[in-house]
Amino acid sequence: RSVAPSGVSVEIVGRDDERLGRAGRPGDRSAVVAWNAVQEATVVTIPAETVTTGATSVRVEGIEGKGDEATATHLLVRAEHHAEAVVVIDHTGDALLTETVEIEVGDGAHLTVVSVQDWSAGAVHASSHRARLGRDAKLKHVVVTFGGDVVRITPDAEFEAEGGEVEMLGLYFADSDQHQEHRLFVDHSVP
């Protein structure tokens, strides 16, 4: 379920859509499982030179009592050149979920992506966030985890051209019966 401000496009596409996979292929076993299991993806596009006034909200809801049924999701967030936006991904309910989140930040674009894991007790969530930044692009990536029994988020960022900037932040609250693992990697392949 999603809510987007005017000008932002949200569409459901098949796994064969040519836009999928450009921000990076799966990097570990759980990411491969998510990649292979998904049949369709949600694509959020902030068009070139669009500056949004409100946040785009994408809600991933697990169904209470169905947390033992494994599911997979795929989300692609695209900020085209010189676009500016905030996208919030909110995870709630009960789930056994593998997830891929691709983030493309075009040349000169400024994008903030906030991923909130507010799962019910018993939820298991493994998510791979893959970001690719263009020339002079800026990404602020925030992961906030409150709930779930096991939550593993692996955000990676790669620069395509010079002048890009990424800021990756996290806030986590864990009880003694929770396992939370958050590992980030930034590939500084260009200046």
Side-chain angles (χ1 to χ4, degrees), residues 2-78:
S2 62
V3 177
S6 178
V8 174
S9 162
V10 179
E11 57 189 308
I12 305 297
V13 301
R15 70 174 289 126
D16 59 344
D17 190 287
E18 66 184 19
R19 294 171 291 183
L20 302 179
R22 293 194 312 204
R25 298 286 182 177
D28 63 21
R29 187 178 180 109
S30 65
V32 169
V33 169
W35 185 265
N36 289 333
V38 76
Q39 297 303 311
E40 59 184 24
T42 302
V43 178
V44 175
T45 303
I46 301 94
E49 301 181 11
T50 298
V51 177
T52 63
T53 56
T56 297
S57 173
V58 177
R59 191 171 176 96
V60 179
E61 294 182 78
I63 300 170
E64 296 302 326
K66 299 278 187 175
D68 58 345
E69 296 177 21
T71 57
T73 62
H74 194 112
L75 171 65
L76 168 59
V77 178
R78 301 174 61 235

